[in-house]
Amino acid sequence: MLTDYYGTVNVSEEDNILYGQVIGIKGLLSYEGITVVELKQDFQEVVDEYIADCKKNNIKPQVSYKGTFNVRIKPELHRSLVEYADENNESLNSAVTTAIKNLVQANYK
């Protein structure tokens, strides 16, 4: 089972299939299946093909971002973030996500 790649799962009622795409990498890697087993198999095949193509072209494959990472900060800042989140009826995760989103949007429009 691949742990470095993640993808979406969607349903097309019109086509009666499950489908998705690998997330966190540039380019479109999509997969589909009628059953969950078929969806997983096609996902695996798409990722294997992507890795093989990268190897063939001497390119380092990108990996998905799963949306979690650890950050080390000073205890005082940690406390301030928790206090801010509490005062704004937010979770710590939500407050940090908003702060990062605002920083990125302000600098990479």
Side-chain angles (χ1 to χ4, degrees):
M1 188 76 179
L2 294 171
T3 57
D4 291 339
Y5 294 90
Y6 301 89
T8 61
V9 177
N10 300 291
V11 176
S12 171
E13 291 185 27
E14 182 179 313
D15 298 321
N16 200 32
I17 62 165
L18 301 169
Y19 68 96
Q21 70 181 54
V22 178
I23 56 174
I25 64 169
K26 293 181 181 177
L28 177 62
L29 300 179
S30 61
Y31 45 90
E32 65 180 53
I34 295 175
T35 66
V36 172
V37 170
E38 287 180 5
L39 184 72
K40 287 180 177 182
Q41 287 172 339
D42 199 37
F43 171 84
Q44 181 74 49
E45 290 170 8
V46 164
V47 171
D48 288 346
E49 184 176 302
Y50 168 71
I51 293 170
D53 285 346
C54 287
K55 189 174 187 175
K56 180 177 129 186
N57 294 306
N58 202 27
I59 298 170
K60 182 179 178 184
Q62 296 177 336
V63 294
S64 295
Y65 296 99
K66 63 181 180 176
T68 61
F69 62 97
N70 294 321
V71 177
R72 286 178 277 289
I73 59 175
K74 292 184 177 183
E76 297 82 11
L77 180 56
H78 191 170
R79 178 188 316 270
S80 294
L81 283 167
V82 170
E83 289 172 356
Y84 172 86
D86 286 344
E87 289 174 10
N88 290 280
N89 296 317
E90 289 185 78
S91 68
L92 178 60
N93 187 70
S94 176
V96 170
T97 298
T98 300
I100 293 171
K101 184 177 178 182
N102 290 339
L103 174 73
V104 171
Q105 287 176 342
N107 291 289
Y108 297 100
K109 294 180 181 183

